[in-house]
């Protein structure tokens, strides 16, 4: 896993967003499954190649129906159009697409991560607990104190 993926291994999923979106709810179960696979691929790779064949291959489009009969190109096109409507051109990667909501979530998580690193390097935490001051929420038991000033022996 790359450093980028270590920063953000997961994203929030809101069922209400899915269930209240008419376009998504009108997808076939197959298209919905492909959509979820593409969302996961998008998240892990910061985008999906903007190539129709690659999109459908990544999603696992099945060229045969449940009876084993070949499906026509019309089903492929309909599924592809439904899927591509849920993605936008990637803002920084040419020839890639991304889901707009995931793009915003990436920015949000990257900002949170960067701020956490920044504040961690600066010492982080509540300034009242710095420089040897005891934490009033977790007092050191009397038996473990070195002296009456509350300094921990360890």
């Amino acid at each position: 896993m790359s450093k980028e993926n270590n920063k953000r291994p997961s994203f929030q999923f809101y069922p209400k967003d899915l269930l209240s979106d008419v376009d998504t709810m009108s997808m076939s179960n197959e298209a919905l499954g492909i959509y979820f696979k593409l969302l996961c691929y998008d998240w892990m790779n910061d985008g999906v190649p903007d190539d129709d064949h690659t999109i459908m291959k990544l999603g696992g489009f099945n060229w045969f129906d449940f009876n084993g009969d070949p499906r026509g190109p019309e089903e492929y096109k309909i599924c592809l159009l439904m899927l591509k409507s849920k993605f936008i051109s990637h803002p920084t990667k040419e020839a890639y697409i991304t889901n707009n909501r995931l793009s915003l979530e990436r920015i949000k998580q990257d900002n949170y991560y960067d701020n956490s690193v920044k504040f961690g390097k600066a010492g982080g935490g509540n300034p009242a607990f710095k420089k040897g001051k005891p934490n009033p929420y977790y007092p050191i038991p009397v038996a473990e104190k070195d002296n009456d000033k509350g300094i921990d022996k360890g």
Side-chain angles (χ1 to χ4, degrees):
M1 197 184 304
S2 72
K3 184 177 179 183
E4 280 294 304
N5 287 338
N6 283 332
K7 284 192 340 185
R8 44 183 152 76
S10 63
F11 60 90
Q12 293 286 327
F13 171 73
Y14 300 99
K16 183 178 179 183
D17 291 348
L18 175 81
L19 298 174
S20 62
D21 182 351
V22 175
D23 294 333
T24 305
M25 289 305 294
S26 65
M27 288 181 176
S28 66
N29 286 337
E30 179 183 37
L32 188 59
I34 292 172
Y35 177 53
F36 268 60
K37 285 173 103 175
L38 292 174
L39 288 176
C40 293
Y41 184 91
D42 182 359
W43 186 255
M44 292 176 58
N45 297 284
D46 192 14
V48 176
D50 191 8
D51 173 74
D52 294 351
H53 180 72
T54 302
I55 290 168
M56 297 304 269
K57 189 164 181 82
L58 287 172
F61 180 79
N62 195 342
W63 282 100
F64 297 94
D65 65 17
F66 290 115
N67 298 322
D69 297 326
R71 295 165 68 185
E74 200 59 35
E75 290 180 68
Y76 175 93
K77 289 177 188 175
I78 291 169
C79 186
L80 183 64
L81 286 172
M82 293 175 99
L83 294 167
K84 287 190 87 169
S85 73
K86 306 305 284 176
F87 292 84
I88 60 170
S89 294
H90 196 287
T92 59
K93 293 172 82 173
E94 191 174 323
Y96 276 76
I97 57 175
T98 187
N99 178 269
N100 190 51
R101 166 124 169 20
L102 288 186
S103 185
L104 296 173
E105 183 69 16
R106 254 186 222 101
I107 292 166
K108 178 179 153 188
Q109 286 194 22
D110 285 349
N111 288 338
Y112 178 82
Y113 175 85
D114 293 342
N115 284 332
S116 295
V117 168
K118 178 178 140 186
F119 294 130
K121 287 180 180 176
N126 187 330
F129 304 149
K130 291 183 182 177
K131 299 184 181 173
K133 295 180 183 176
N135 182 337
Y137 300 108
Y138 301 100
I140 300 168
V142 176
E144 293 182 24
K145 292 181 181 176
D146 192 36
N147 58 36
D148 61 344
K149 294 181 182 174
I151 298 173
D152 189 355
K153 288 195 271 184

